[in-house]
Amino acid sequence: MSAQRDEEAVRRYAEQFGNLLADTGWPRMAGRVFAAILTSVDGRLTSAELSEQLQASPAAVSGAVNYLLQLQLASREREPGSRRDVYVIQGDSWYQTMMTENQALTRWSTSLRQVLDASGEGTPAHHRVRITLAFFEFLTGEVKGLSDRWVLRRAELDAELAAELAAELAEEK
């Protein structure tokens, strides 16, 4: 049987995770909002629920949500039969964000190739741009390999979780 959810512990640890995100450069409220939605029972909360849970102003929550939407770590959905928006975090949000960032790396590389051509071979600027471009190209290739491996690993995890759920349901009968 599955363990009971300890709401207080979940909120405490979610707050810690949100603060860790802030410690690595995220806006503090965006980290807290992300952690709150991620750890919510359904992975979806309204602005009002976020404001109440985080004891934050609607404006602060709105700014944080917009940050998450921009990164594609959250999505906005309409609550059925309502005019309220619900903010949702999907299980593969990090993967989707990484793929978006990889597209950005490709665009950055294209732009830097133009800078490289114009910067004058042998100059310090040319050297810096060339190293930066090489790094972006390296990351792009690595992300492709990681993506392929993650797709396989995700399928394994999905199968494991489905088997665990089936076993729990069988025990309850």
Side-chain angles (χ1 to χ4, degrees), residues 84-143:
R84 294 188 324 171
D85 287 330
V86 177
Y87 300 101
V88 180
I89 293 180
Q90 304 297 335
D92 65 348
S93 61
W94 287 106
Y95 171 78
Q96 293 303 325
T97 296
M98 183 62 79
M99 293 303 97
T100 299
E101 289 302 313
N102 197 43
Q103 292 168 0
L105 285 172
T106 300
R107 291 192 313 271
W108 295 346
S109 294
T110 299
S111 179
L112 279 179
R113 275 189 206 90
Q114 293 171 327
V115 174
L116 185 67
D117 292 341
S119 65
E121 194 169 332
T123 66
H126 186 269
H127 178 79
R128 285 191 307 274
V129 171
R130 188 170 172 190
I131 294 297
T132 301
L133 178 58
F135 180 68
F136 288 169
E137 290 171 343
F138 172 79
L139 285 178
T140 299
E142 291 299 305
V143 168

Side-chain angles (χ1 to χ4, degrees), residues 154-168:
R154 174 69 194 256
E156 292 170 357
L157 286 170
D158 287 343
E160 288 172 20
L161 294 171
E164 288 173 15
L165 180 60
E168 285 180 21

Side-chain angles (χ1 to χ4, degrees), residues 4 7-8 21 25 29-30 39 56 77 90-91 107 109 116 118 126 128 136 141 145 149-150 161:
Q4 290 290 339
E7 230 18 87
E8 181 57 35
L21 292 173
M29 185 55 66
T39 61
E77 296 178 2
Q90 304 297 335
R107 291 192 313 271
S109 294
L116 185 67
H126 186 269
R128 285 191 307 274
F136 288 169
R149 289 191 302 278
W150 172 247
L161 294 171

Side-chain angles (χ1 to χ4, degrees), residues 9-53:
V10 169
R11 285 190 184 184
R12 187 174 59 252
Y13 295 133
E15 187 72 20
Q16 286 176 0
F17 180 64
N19 287 329
L20 284 173
L21 292 173
D23 290 346
T24 61
W26 281 43
R28 186 161 304 282
M29 185 55 66
R32 293 179 68 214
V33 166
F34 179 80
I37 300 170
L38 178 69
T39 61
S40 68
V41 172
D42 297 323
R44 51 191 304 119
L45 293 171
T46 65
S47 288
E49 290 167 332
L50 286 163
S51 290
E52 180 182 331
Q53 179 176 328

